Amino acid sequence: MSLLARFTHVANNYGKATALGANPFKVRMEKVISPTEAIVNGRQTTLAGTHNYLGLTFDADCIEAAIAALRQEGTGTTGSRVANGSYSHHRGLEDELAEFFGRRHAMVFSTGYQANLGMLSALVGPDDHLVIDADCHASIYDGCKLAGAKVTRFRHNDPADLEKRLRRLAAEGGNKLIVIEGIYSMLGDEAPLREIVEVKKKYGAYLLVDEAHSVGVLGERGRGLAEAAGCEADVDFVVGTFSKSFGSVGGFCVSDMEGFDLLRVASRPYTFTASLPPSVMASVRAALKALQERPELRRKLHDNAALLYGELSRSGFTLGPVVNPIVAVRLEDPETAIRFWNGLLERGVYVNLALPPATPNGWSMLRVSVSAAHSAKQLMHIAAVFRDVAYDLGILEMPVRAAAF
Amino acid sequence: MNGSIAVAEAGYDEVLRDVMTFLNDQTKRRYEITESTNMARDLNLDSLAVMDVLLALEDKFDVSIPINHLAEIQTVSDLARTIIDIKKG
């Protein structure tokens, strides 16, 4: 039997997804023009599926900082910080992150994925319990596997369900670490953090919040859901990524936990990975500065999200429950979603295709991510193209006046 | 517990029957479910759907079934035995 034979069902689904047009998993950005535009299949395309929330990928200060670091410190660190040492940017970035979040400690990882792997695998062991929201990201599920702790899921965004499961675990020994996200990447909905904090306190558990999609997006200063909900002191660990609002790559964790620095040698995904190159960290530091000094970016992001959400909602699409920069458009079935995604791409609009089992409740969706860099004109265009495709596929009925032409 | 079953007293046959009833309801009786039915292969349940089955069965039997057990749970019989083992502690 072939080594890959166990992926037969994956191959079948993959075949179905690619048979209806372009390959949704292999889109080639032939030329990236700006945070919101690229050439795809020779066509000028509006990007609405890149989670570039603050639009900083082409920010002049971020680019200049990266170039300067590249010239001064070279292209890469060629190894882990444990083996090759920490560059000034590693500690500089960690100090600035700790200060930004008002925490005693910060630790930088090479990707957001590794930040979850690195934290979960080091914080708990086989005698402990991870209690995770059912809709958590794959990196959290993979971190759970690496941790070896007993893993219990609770129903998405349901504090009463969390409490029920913690109650069942109350008699068992070991620490309990609750893991949730700030904004969930599929539907754009937020965790009911205050209620979850109440349950956490009642059962003496710890709480880790992955704010990958909410740092730079939520909170008066952009510190994420914990800031927006006013419960930062009750969140033991905040994990985040540099690949969304910060416009680069990498991940981090901040905390006030005593002994946090031990994780630098206890967390294998941290210890045994090549560290971030200086140029990446320099651009992230510039992005962190922009995030703090330019709150207008966050305001623009929310105005843009409201504009697109309103347009699509009024058009008759079924959307995620909250207005956030992730606008999830629910469709009937995988085939409709794939056809819709192709229709958009053929008309020059790029969004994310999200199919089960990666989606909650087995839904088929298109995930649109809004950026502060989108103009109102671009967003109106995206909404108009969504309507066009929906009319073509018979999902929405064309308004009488438009149909008369 | 409301709607939960006292598994500690229940034998394998009873738990198996309850698991099968539950799976029949979940899959809208589209399949012939037996003790040896493989949930992923025969019921066409993806990994997430199997985890959701565990989530619901935790409530039905008022037990905690860590998803670490997933690798060992392939058939309906495996699932019933896991529930009994966990409840016995």
Side-chain angles (χ1 to χ4, degrees):
Chain A
M1 191 166 105
S2 149
L3 280 175
L4 301 182
R6 66 198 167 91
F7 294 120
T8 304
H9 66 289
V10 178
N12 291 341
N13 289 337
Y14 189 77
K16 282 181 205 158
T18 55
L20 296 169
N23 185 335
F25 313 111
K26 282 171 119 175
V27 172
R28 268 188 68 201
M29 302 281 163
E30 286 144 16
K31 182 173 168 28
V32 179
I33 300 163
S34 75
T36 60
E37 296 158 295
I39 305 291
V40 181
N41 298 333
R43 190 183 294 113
Q44 174 107 5
T45 299
T46 306
L47 301 178
T50 59
H51 305 293
N52 194 349
Y53 297 129
L54 301 181
L56 292 175
T57 46
F58 281 76
D59 179 83
D61 291 343
C62 293
I63 290 174
E64 288 311 316
I67 292 171
L70 196 56
R71 289 196 191 286
Q72 282 160 20
E73 301 195 49
T75 54
T77 63
T78 67
S80 74
R81 288 169 68 179
V82 175
N84 295 18
S86 291
Y87 287 38
S88 63
H89 277 300
H90 289 116
R91 292 321 297 242
L93 175 54
E94 285 174 344
D95 289 347
E96 286 162 11
L97 281 170
E99 193 185 341
F100 171 62
F101 282 97
R103 301 277 185 165
R104 287 167 57 200
H105 310 286
M107 194 165 152
V108 167
F109 293 85
S110 297
T111 65
Y113 176 88
Q114 281 174 311
N116 273 328
L117 249 61
M119 292 309 299
L120 297 177
S121 64
L123 288 174
V124 290
D127 296 332
D128 300 317
H129 295 268
L130 284 160
V131 186
I132 70 171
D133 185 289
D135 283 4
C136 275
H137 187 257
S139 58
I140 291 171
Y141 278 91
D142 292 355
C144 289
K145 276 190 189 168
L146 202 56
K150 291 179 265 307
V151 183
T152 301
R153 297 161 82 232
F154 67 93
R155 288 191 168 83
H156 176 56
N157 273 355
D158 188 340
D161 197 72
L162 167 65
E163 171 155 18
K164 188 165 59 183
R165 282 158 218 286
L166 281 170
R167 179 177 47 74
R168 286 188 191 127
L169 296 173
E172 299 199 25
N175 288 312
K176 279 106 191 175
L177 175 63
I178 302 164
V179 185
I180 60 168
E181 297 182 25
I183 291 179
Y184 285 85
S185 64
M186 283 295 163
L187 293 178
D189 50 341
E190 297 166 18
L193 190 54
R194 285 187 191 188
E195 293 86 345
I196 286 174
V197 160
E198 288 310 309
V199 177
K200 169 219 151 161
K201 286 184 184 165
K202 187 172 170 187
Y203 287 87
Y206 293 96
L207 176 61
L208 181 149
V209 183
D210 179 353
E211 301 254 24
H213 291 271
S214 38
V215 168
V217 174
L218 298 180
E220 202 184 324
R221 284 161 292 188
R223 291 175 6 178
L225 179 67
E227 185 195 4
C231 31
E232 288 178 288
D234 295 308
V235 174
D236 302 289
F237 306 95
V238 171
V239 167
T241 178
F242 301 137
S243 60
K244 296 179 173 42
S245 287
F246 293 88
S248 187
V249 67
F252 67 88
C253 178
V254 294
S255 175
D256 287 322
M257 180 95 10
E258 191 73 37
F260 186 83
D261 238 28
L262 265 176
L263 296 173
R264 293 186 193 277
V265 284
S267 169
R268 296 171 67 86
Y270 172 90
T271 310
F272 296 103
T273 313
S275 65
L276 286 171
S279 54
V280 165
M281 291 183 288
S283 83
V284 170
R285 291 175 78 177
L288 180 57
K289 196 159 175 267
L291 196 152
Q292 295 174 85
E293 292 176 354
R294 294 160 62 192
E296 65 274 17
L297 289 175
R298 202 152 42 255
R299 284 196 291 273
K300 179 84 189 312
L301 174 65
H302 287 286
D303 289 349
N304 281 351
L307 175 63
L308 185 68
Y309 190 98
E311 276 295 307
L312 292 177
S313 174
R314 277 191 295 278
S315 301
F317 289 102
T318 306
L319 307 180
V322 224
V323 180
N324 257 333
I326 296 169
V327 182
V329 180
R330 190 177 160 192
L331 294 165
E332 188 63 28
D333 49 47
E335 190 181 318
T336 307
I338 294 164
R339 285 188 195 284
F340 206 117
W341 179 86
N342 272 288
L344 292 173
L345 194 65
E346 284 157 14
R347 290 166 176 82
V349 171
Y350 175 76
V351 302
N352 300 136
L353 175 64
L355 300 176
T359 51
N361 313 313
W363 289 345
S364 299
M365 299 188 301
L366 295 174
R367 191 172 57 160
V368 190
S369 60
V370 175
S371 170
H374 280 127
S375 65
K377 193 177 160 194
Q378 282 178 313
L379 295 166
M380 296 300 280
H381 171 68
I382 292 166
V385 173
F386 258 86
R387 283 190 290 269
D388 278 354
V389 177
Y391 299 148
D392 264 12
L393 295 179
I395 293 165
L396 291 181
E397 277 190 39
M398 199 178 286
V400 177
R401 263 187 307 172
F405 281 94
Chain B
M1 300 301 157
N2 290 342
S4 66
I5 292 163
V7 185
E9 292 82 39
Y12 171 75
D13 289 345
E14 288 157 84
V15 174
L16 180 70
R17 190 189 58 220
D18 286 327
V19 168
M20 281 165 49
T21 304
F22 175 82
L23 287 171
N24 268 317
D25 290 347
Q26 288 287 301
T27 55
K28 300 186 173 64
R29 306 191 178 279
R30 277 176 288 148
Y31 304 93
E32 184 72 30
I33 297 177
T34 68
E35 206 173 354
S36 57
T37 297
N38 180 304
M39 289 190 288
R41 194 188 57 216
D42 303 330
L43 303 184
N44 207 21
L45 297 176
D46 60 40
S47 54
L48 193 64
V50 174
M51 285 197 287
D52 286 345
V53 165
L54 286 193
L55 194 71
L57 284 174
E58 284 185 314
D59 289 343
K60 188 171 175 62
F61 292 101
D62 194 31
V63 289
S64 184
I65 313 171
I67 59 172
N68 314 53
H69 288 284
L70 271 177
E72 311 143 23
I73 302 173
Q74 289 174 18
T75 64
V76 173
S77 169
D78 295 338
L79 183 51
R81 287 191 195 286
T82 303
I83 291 169
I84 291 172
D85 289 348
I86 286 175
K87 196 70 184 180
K88 280 181 186 160

